[in-house]
Amino acid sequence: MRRLHLPARVLWLALLSPLPVARAAAPAPPPLMQALEAELARTAELRLPDAPPPYLVSYEVLDGEVATAEALFGALSSTDDGPYRMLRVDVRVGDYALDSGNFEGNFGDRSGTRMRLLPDEDEVLALRRELWLATDEAYKGATEQLSSKLAAREGSVRELGPDLLRVPPLVTEPALRPAVPVEPLEALVQALSARLQGQGLEEGRAVARSWQGVRVLASTEGHRAWLPTGFAVLRVEAATRAADGALLRDAVSWVVPTPAQLPPMAELEAEVDQMVAWLQGLRQAPVEEDYLGPVLFEGPAAMEVFRQLLAPELAGTPAPERPPEGFADGEQVPTARIGRRLLPEGWTVVDDPVAAREQGLAGGYDHDFEGVAAERVELVQDGVVRRLLMSRVPREGMDRSTGHGRSLGADRRVAMTAAVTVQPARPRSPSRLERKGLALARQTVQPYLLVVERLEPPALAEDFRVAFSGEAPLPGLTRPTRAWRLYPDGRREPVRGLSFVGVDRRVLRDVVLAGRVQEPRSELDAEPGPQRFGIGVVGGLPVTWSVPPVLVGELELHGAGGREQRVLPPPEIGLAGPVRTD
Amino acid sequence: MSPIPTTSPRALAPPLFLLALVLAPPLWSHARADARPAPPADLDPLHAAVQAELLRSWELLQAQPEPAYWLQLAVVDRVTWTVQATHGAAGTWTEDHARLGDVDLRVGSPELDNTHKIRDAGWFSEEERARVDLPLQDQPTALRLGLWRAVDDSYRAAVRQLIKVRANDAVKVAAEDESPDFSAAPVTVDLRPSPPLVLDGEEWTDRVRQVSAVFLEYPEVHDSNVSFRAVDEVQHTLSSEGTRLRFPRRHLRVAVSASTTAEDGMQLEVYDYVDAASPDGLPDAETLTRMAHGVARRVTALRHAPLVDPYVGPAILRGRAAAVFFHEVLGHRVEGHRQKDEDEGQTFTDKVGQPVLPDFLDVDDDPTRARWGDTDLNGHYPYDDEGVASEPVSVVDDGVLRGFLMSRSPIEGFGRSNGHGRRQPGAAPVARQGNLLVQARRTVSYDQLRARLVDLVRAQGKPFGLIFDDITGGFTFTGRVTPNAFNVQPVTVWKVFPDGRPDELVRGVDLIGTPLTTFQRILAASDQSDVFNGSCGAESGWVPVTAVAPDLLIQEVEVQRKEKAHDRPPLLPPPGPASSTPREGT
């Protein structure tokens, strides 16, 4: 480290000394920001021989408290709480037109993004040591990534647009991270999972997590921001077994900004009890072996249909470039396209994170992870895509971020839905939807209409065929966990064992009728791609969707029963599913 | 807004994983904490719930067409406290409570059961092990529901596996070792108290924070960590034979590590630690500070040490290096189950009664031993994971092979367990090491040993000899598909010159070789031994182990270049007030 000689030091002190006037000195920034600023300043000296220096260094620190509690049948099985301070550093070399980003190298290749846990204590020097090491690694990774990208482009005649959009720096006042006590979550999961005991269930689990904190941004572009962030998730799941041995699962979940915004206990209990009753009834339900006909999606299932099929069509971030010789050789066809008809005439789709934040919905926020103010975006008009959600990664014809740059962990910040409202042209009453559905069923020689109320969320999907291709047609949608047959006489009969066959976005154009937009519903999700699958119970980013129930003219579903029964009865009288008797 | 994004890990371990047996000191990275209350064993609700479900399941399973002939339920009730610090800033004192359950169930008969190895099997042919979801609270219904599902899953998996075993047995030629799959063991009831472990979290947080600041004085130390970890376990093991065990196990560790990158890109790390079975055995702040300075100075010195080229010549393995060497080279090869597994190299299977080591060496494995001098031994345990009391085993006596480490899977000539069936919770037990103790009947002082090394260097016309002073761990391959070799990974290696020049610290090599050749070249042992406490990873997961050995003079060893990274060292100097020269003393 260079040291100032005395005369220079004296001059420096003189310049910095406050004048003897009655003016309060600006308060020092919090220690974390002091550390970020100090190391950002030093990045100007970063230089590798024969390689460009960084043109942009961005620090993002998730600084918060997290509490998680899990209970099995009324007894705690896991509990955890404490601070969480994770650094994400993104170093880019090159310039805004062509930089090291937006490139996905071969397996094991490094990038300019690094994650590193930071000390919980506000010791500036200790924080700076971690920042120093992470920035150094990220710069080296970015340099390699740029060279790989240039090599991949060698000989290519494709004309490619810029890599990163300029944005004005975001500067906010410091915000504190709130405490997140675990005890209320423990009490909640114990109470709710206790309701699963003695109900003939094999599995009964409740898990809750609350993460509350700030996203601290600091960059060489001038960002100095503290963005309050957080969510709470509660999930109760249960399983029982049908007579043929099929394991039947169902779950209810809530995603809200803070635990205080969860519904009242009586409402939570009622939903849990309803789930239990559903599972108990489902044990005797028939297997829906093959179905080809109209399907009515109601409640959470309608939300899942739009979330799974529509979200990738609204995110405008182009796919990253890939090496031509790579495993996933990538002349990738962009999914989201302006001008594509996605929905019937007259339908609109809007994403408005700020309004959602004002309404206290989990998907809402004011600024995205890149420090860009969130915009209301009218994505679909009259059923046709007119605009797309954008992060700072531009695409042809779209050179402005809409403030939707988010993603999990170290992933590239890409456009991701936040708070979507799908509005049909002419909402119909529930009875009208059912009547129309039954009429369509008659036309396809089905004695009943299939109604789906819940789909397995992708984050928990066990059937990876939804995301990855195989020999059979992709299901396209996750499996229904609550479905029934609606007969013309009004009788409702639960069915089980269903999977979709070959669904894709085109079914949305075939929506025959839709109801009124339902209450907003939030879930945890990820940016479009296979990372949406298998996130787990409490991982992901909150999104909110407000959608109508929809009647689709024709869908194909295949059903399968179970294979293996339990041998031992459970250790509680009357608790059980069936037991093999041979 | 995802603080801890989670994914569904579906990583597939390559088949070689099962062959590579790894030894390493595990790098584990407010208020006063008391462990769980300790009810009398007979009133322990967890123990009672396990017992009730064991009896009920056992009775029901007897009525099945393929009845179980042995059932064991085991629960490790574990509380772990940790705190770590870096560069003068501490993390949070955390307490983690977990209950880890295991179901071990056998169908068929002791002669041939579902655990029998399927020969020439494809990948993923091993029997599925049931997941056991156990609550932390002593709620009998929730506990028993978790156990019920696991027993039922285990039973159905066992029946499926037995069908495959029988078919495989019919298709294949007779096995070389036709020993049964299971042996009888004495029924034991031993319910020990588990007094609470009392820790002062604030004190330990302060201590690791203060000690971690030491590294700020060493500009060439790039990264560092000081950690405290305490594990307080109570193991419950209950079997259909009537065995009922409840016993505590404690392990505490303070560790100091520092790393740097050499100018040639090699990542260098020095790790020092103290293990103990109680807080009294851990170092005070002053001792820990000295450890930190020592680690910092060693890693700084290593950064400037020259590389060694591949070399063959005489060497001394200091105690810890010799201990790891014996753990890898001998210990894994005398684990009982390997003697009847025809995919294994079976180096020693047919050598019982024959010399395998120089006649001045004895090797025992004694899990009953709790201490070596003042050092608590990691590989101490009263009962193994099959409910069998641990026993001292004479493996080599006067250089002659005498016995093997046995689980309840018998082998030809060794029909019973000697209490070495071990596992990490979640895995099936196999024979594993506990405290491997290498002792010499004829010794010389270390100075004499060193003088003999210099003589050997001269006699062999070598430019230098090597002293392996400290090691991080090692691994070995015991199968037939890969070379039956070992690799011991030293941290500190010294060149010793025949002309009296001072020893020179060097870096960048691993000690390699094959077992039989290397054993033949052990020439002498010193009169001082050292202890390596660590964890060993193999088929049945990670288990705590100890190896103790004297310094050994070896006529000829081979070293190969160590794997290394290639990144330049950090481009900027570290932030902060570090001076350019490390402080001496302290």
Side-chain angles (χ1 to χ4, degrees), chain A residues 427-469:
Chain A
R428 306 292 187 180
S429 69
S431 59
R432 178 72 191 279
L433 292 180
E434 291 179 358
R435 284 202 307 277
K436 180 67 176 175
L438 287 166
L440 289 172
R442 275 196 302 278
Q443 290 171 18
T444 55
V445 207
Q446 290 288 0
Y448 49 80
L449 167 69
L450 190 68
V451 182
V452 179
E453 190 190 327
R454 280 188 192 277
L455 297 178
E456 187 177 35
L460 299 175
E462 292 174 357
D463 186 352
F464 276 73
R465 289 188 306 140
V466 176
F468 304 111
S469 62

Side-chain angles (χ1 to χ4, degrees), chain B residues 35 48 57 81 99 168 211 371 450 478 535 550:
Chain B
S57 305
W81 296 270
R99 280 181 171 167
N168 189 257
V211 173
R371 295 173 73 81
R450 192 178 182 290
T478 62
S535 286

Side-chain angles (χ1 to χ4, degrees), chain A residues 1 39 42-43 45-49 62 66 72-79 83-84 110 116 119-121 123 125-126 128-130 132-133 136 139-140 144 190 197 201-203 205 209 211 215 229-231 241 362 364 369 406 408-409 462 464 534-536 538-542 564-572 575 580 582, chain B residues 1-8 10 53 56-57 60-61 63-65 86-92 94-99 131 133-139 141-146 148-153 155-157 159-160 205 209 215-216 218-224 567-579:
Chain A
M1 183 177 288
E39 286 308 302
R42 292 211 308 154
T43 60
E45 302 163 37
L46 273 176
R47 185 65 62 94
L48 281 162
L62 263 181
V66 62
L72 304 168
F73 290 116
L76 283 177
S77 56
S78 168
T79 177
Y84 178 80
R110 295 197 297 185
R116 196 172 175 98
D120 300 326
E121 292 183 326
E123 291 292 334
L125 193 53
R128 287 184 61 189
R129 296 285 295 220
E130 301 299 319
W132 163 61
L133 290 172
D136 187 86
Y139 172 46
K140 291 166 182 165
E144 288 182 345
Q190 278 181 266
Q197 205 181 99
L201 301 172
E202 279 193 14
E203 296 174 26
R205 180 189 309 266
R209 170 177 285 185
W211 148 254
R215 186 177 300 276
T229 182
F231 66 85
R241 203 168 285 263
F369 293 3
R406 299 194 298 164
L408 294 176
E462 292 174 357
F464 276 73
I535 300 170
V538 291
L541 305 171
E564 197 173 13
Q565 297 169 355
R566 289 274 176 212
V567 171
L568 304 175
E572 189 176 339
L575 198 66
R580 199 164 72 193
D582 56 351
Chain B
M1 207 165 9
S2 165
I4 309 172
T6 54
T7 57
S8 285
R10 280 179 162 71
E53 200 49 29
R56 191 186 75 92
S57 305
L60 291 164
L61 289 172
Q64 293 299 313
T86 182
H87 298 117
T92 303
T94 62
E95 176 182 325
D96 179 45
H97 186 187
R99 280 181 171 167
R131 174 179 138 175
D133 287 328
L134 290 178
L136 305 176
Q137 294 175 306
D138 292 330
Q139 213 263 41
T141 305
L143 284 165
R144 291 185 60 183
L145 278 166
W148 158 64
R149 282 199 310 273
V151 172
D152 191 276
D153 288 344
Y155 173 74
R156 289 180 289 120
V159 171
R160 283 195 295 268
T205 303
R209 181 195 298 112
F215 293 101
L216 292 170
Y218 295 86
E220 292 181 272
V221 173
H222 297 154
D223 207 355
S224 61
D567 261 0
R568 293 170 185 272
L571 302 167
L572 301 178
S579 58

Side-chain angles (χ1 to χ4, degrees), chain B residues 12-258:
Chain B
L12 304 177
L16 277 182
F17 173 80
L18 295 177
L19 302 171
L21 311 167
V22 184
L23 181 66
L27 299 172
W28 291 311
S29 10
H30 36 251
R32 189 176 174 84
D34 294 350
R36 64 182 96 57
D42 283 343
L43 300 177
D44 183 335
L46 171 60
H47 198 85
V50 177
Q51 168 80 341
E53 200 49 29
L54 175 83
L55 296 175
R56 191 186 75 92
S57 305
W58 178 248
E59 190 179 327
L60 291 164
L61 289 172
Q62 298 315 294
Q64 293 299 313
E66 188 71 71
Y69 80 87
W70 186 70
L71 172 63
Q72 177 183 278
L73 302 185
V75 178
V76 174
D77 194 7
R78 176 186 291 167
V79 182
T80 306
W81 296 270
T82 53
V83 65
Q84 50 187 328
T86 182
H87 298 117
T92 303
W93 173 260
T94 62
E95 176 182 325
D96 179 45
H97 186 187
R99 280 181 171 167
L100 313 165
D102 269 292
V103 176
D104 296 285
L105 186 149
R106 290 171 182 256
V107 294
S109 69
E111 286 69 38
L112 184 72
D113 70 23
N114 53 300
T115 69
H116 194 86
K117 183 180 167 72
I118 296 182
R119 288 178 286 168
D120 302 332
W123 287 17
F124 314 117
S125 62
E126 295 194 357
E127 184 179 324
E128 313 147 39
R129 286 190 67 84
R131 174 179 138 175
V132 190
D133 287 328
L134 290 178
L136 305 176
Q137 294 175 306
D138 292 330
Q139 213 263 41
T141 305
L143 284 165
R144 291 185 60 183
L145 278 166
L147 292 165
W148 158 64
R149 282 199 310 273
V151 172
D152 191 276
D153 288 344
S154 299
Y155 173 74
R156 289 180 289 120
V159 171
R160 283 195 295 268
Q161 188 75 3
L162 182 61
I163 293 168
K164 291 192 274 185
V165 165
R166 285 175 173 153
N168 189 257
D169 203 45
V171 167
K172 301 296 177 184
V173 298
E176 291 170 9
D177 183 339
E178 295 193 297
S179 301
D181 285 328
F182 197 54
S183 61
V187 173
T188 310
V189 176
D190 186 357
L191 304 174
R192 300 186 183 184
S194 53
L197 175 61
V198 179
L199 298 168
D200 190 329
E202 281 182 17
E203 184 186 329
W204 277 108
T205 303
D206 288 346
R207 191 175 299 179
V208 296
R209 181 195 298 112
Q210 285 166 16
V211 173
S212 73
V214 161
F215 293 101
L216 292 170
E217 300 173 30
Y218 295 86
E220 292 181 272
V221 173
H222 297 154
D223 207 355
S224 61
N225 185 275
V226 180
S227 64
F228 167 86
R229 184 176 194 259
V231 179
D232 185 25
E233 290 182 351
V234 178
Q235 178 154 347
H236 303 256
T237 304
L238 300 92
S239 80
S240 53
E241 296 160 311
T243 286
R244 283 178 64 201
L245 304 172
R246 189 184 89 150
F247 55 93
R249 181 181 179 277
R250 295 223 170 108
H251 177 250
L252 297 91
R253 170 173 290 192
V254 287
V256 177
S257 68

